[in-house]
Amino acid sequence: MKGKSYLAMFLFMAVGAVCGGLFGDFLITIPQLAEMVTPLSRQYIVFDFAPATMNLYIIKLSLSFCFQPSFFSLIGAGLGIYLYKRF
């Protein structure tokens, strides 16, 4: 793992999580699989920070962060880490 950066691993993991979530949403659209896949693609709230707002009188900034993984996004993130270590 020498020479590989943590930023690259994070990007692989993030892209894998997004692709996994999209794949789970795609599987819901297939009528034969929808009943079985729906609980696996449901998003579970791990943590949710309320928006913090800062009014600078010229611009108003709001920042919020919410982590809601689904089973498929976790599988995709794991696959991204595997691919990062493999290549």
Side-chain angles (χ1 to χ4, degrees):
M1 200 137 144
K2 199 176 206 180
K4 292 187 178 182
S5 69
Y6 289 110
L7 179 62
M9 184 177 75
F10 177 76
L11 289 176
F12 268 79
M13 189 173 67
V15 169
V18 169
C19 290
L22 289 173
F23 181 69
D25 287 344
F26 169 73
L27 289 179
I28 289 177
T29 62
I30 301 172
Q32 294 85 2
L33 297 176
E35 187 177 325
M36 182 179 67
V37 173
T38 300
L40 297 176
S41 63
R42 180 174 173 247
Q43 295 178 342
Y44 298 95
I45 297 174
V46 176
F47 55 84
D48 186 10
F49 295 118
T53 304
M54 185 172 23
N55 188 358
L56 300 175
Y57 298 105
I58 295 174
I59 190 169
K60 189 175 187 179
L61 301 173
S62 294
L63 179 66
S64 178
F65 187 76
C66 184
F67 182 64
Q68 297 180 345
S70 68
F71 178 74
F72 286 111
S73 64
L74 293 176
I75 295 296
L79 185 61
I81 291 172
Y82 172 75
L83 290 174
Y84 171 77
K85 288 183 178 182
R86 175 86 179 178
F87 300 108

